Amino acid sequence: EFSLSSAYPNPFNPVTTLNFSLPIDSDVSLSVYNLQGREVSTLINSNMEAGYHSVVWDANSYASGVYFVKMVAGEFVNTQKLMLVK
């Protein structure tokens, strides 16, 4: 099934890993947003094979605070809160 696992570590400084799984080949979008809802980083925006995947977000150039990561794959949408502590 589609899933976006909890980011690890979270809170993080300045690198966190996002793991997700796809049951079928899918167009995947994985983006990070700030509290104002502005997209600050696009981690993935492509077609990916079914299976387990992980992506690392290096937030070294971003300010401390709360961010949201949003995954969209077909009909699946999931949003998760991230806490960057420097």
Side-chain angles (χ1 to χ4, degrees):
E1 65 179 312
F2 288 102
S3 72
L4 175 61
S5 302
S6 296
Y8 182 82
N10 190 20
F12 67 101
N13 175 25
V15 176
T16 190
T17 303
L18 303 157
N19 296 300
F20 61 95
S21 63
L22 307 171
I24 55 173
D25 293 2
S26 306
D27 283 324
V28 177
S29 169
L30 196 63
S31 302
V32 179
Y33 297 86
N34 64 15
L35 273 177
Q36 288 77 36
R38 293 191 187 97
E39 186 174 328
V40 295
S41 179
T42 300
L43 303 175
I44 297 173
N45 190 12
S46 65
N47 190 285
M48 300 192 71
E49 295 180 1
Y52 295 94
H53 304 274
S54 68
V55 63
V56 173
W57 182 40
D58 183 349
N60 201 32
S61 60
Y62 298 95
S64 295
V66 176
Y67 293 87
F68 297 94
V69 61
K70 180 179 179 183
M71 175 181 167
V72 179
E75 299 292 310
F76 176 82
V77 178
N78 192 328
T79 304
Q80 189 179 117
K81 186 164 77 170
L82 303 174
M83 179 78 74
L84 172 59
V85 181
K86 289 190 175 180

